[in-house]
Structures are given as structure tokens and as C-alpha cells.
């Protein structure tokens, strides 16, 4: 028996909307777009970990908030986890450049 914790895989209740929201997050954090995404957060003085505000300001795409709001609680939780994991994978040099976005104050 292993002592390591593994996050349970929950089934996706609404694969179509879940996929659309996940794709919008992947696009925002893609190497081609992440710098511009971080600049837009910086201009609006938003914290990168404030997912709901980033979403409602339309920074993940115009229709993404509506698609996210149509998801059930479990799907929304998985999207938030995916978003938070994505922001932690940003290249260290970009994270350093936009350190205020990542600060916990």
C-alpha cells in the first residue's frame, strides 16, 4: 500500500462546456499568449490567483465566464484547480517580471 496521496479523478458532468473553458485557459497560458495575458492582468491590477475576477473581466475570452457558470460545482472546482496549476507552470523569468501578480499581499 502506497502512502502517497493521489487526487481522485472526478468524472466531467458537462464535457462540452468543460472542454471550452479548459481550452480558453490553455490558450491564455500558451507560450504565444502568456506574456500578453499577464500584461492585461497587470494593467487591470488583478491578482493572477483571483480566478473569478479574471474570468468575469473577460480575460479568458468573452464567452468563457458564461460557459464556466453553466458548469456544475464539481466541474467548476476542477476548472479552478486546472487554472491554478496552469499559472504555476508559467516560466520563472515571466513570473519574476510580473512578480506583483503572484504576490500574496
Amino acid at each position: 500500500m502506497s502512502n502517497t496521496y493521489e487526487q481522485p479523478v472526478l468524472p466531467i458532468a458537462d464535457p462540452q462546456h468543460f472542454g471550452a473553458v479548459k481550452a480558453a485557459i490553455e490558450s491564455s497560458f500558451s507560450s504565444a499568449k502568456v506574456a500578453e495575458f499577464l500584461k492585461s492582468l497587470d494593467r487591470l491590477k488583478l491578482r493572477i490567483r483571483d480566478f473569478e475576477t479574471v474570468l468575469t473581466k473577460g480575460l479568458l475570452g468573452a464567452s468563457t465566464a458564461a460557459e464556466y457558470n453553466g458548469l456544475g460545482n464539481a466541474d467548476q472546482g476542477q476548472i479552478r484547480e486546472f487554472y491554478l496549476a496552469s499559472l504555476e507552470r508559467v516560466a520563472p523569468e515571466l513570473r519574476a517580471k510580473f512578480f506583483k501578480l503572484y504576490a500574496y499581499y
Side-chain angles (χ1 to χ4, degrees):
M1 184 165 147
S2 174
N3 287 338
T4 59
Y5 172 77
E6 289 188 28
Q7 186 172 355
V9 177
L10 300 172
I12 305 301
D14 185 345
Q16 183 178 354
H17 287 109
F18 185 92
V21 176
K22 185 177 180 195
I25 294 169
E26 288 172 334
S27 175
S28 294
F29 284 99
S30 69
S31 58
K33 295 184 179 177
V34 68
E36 192 55 45
F37 176 64
L38 295 174
K39 281 182 202 164
S40 64
L41 292 174
D42 195 40
R43 274 194 302 272
L44 294 172
K45 308 264 188 271
L46 298 177
R47 295 274 156 54
I48 194 165
R49 289 182 180 85
D50 188 357
F51 175 69
E52 259 72 8
T53 302
V54 171
L55 188 66
T56 57
K57 294 283 187 187
L59 298 177
L60 296 172
S63 63
T64 307
E67 290 168 332
Y68 173 80
N69 289 330
L71 295 173
N73 288 339
D75 286 359
Q76 285 184 350
Q78 289 191 70
I79 286 292
R80 282 190 304 273
E81 288 291 319
F82 179 74
Y83 175 83
L84 293 172
S86 298
L87 68 87
E88 295 299 333
R89 287 192 294 269
V90 170
E93 58 274 10
L94 271 177
R95 289 180 65 163
K97 182 177 178 181
F98 293 98
F99 70 94
K100 284 185 190 173
L101 298 177
Y102 282 87
Y104 281 109
Y105 53 84

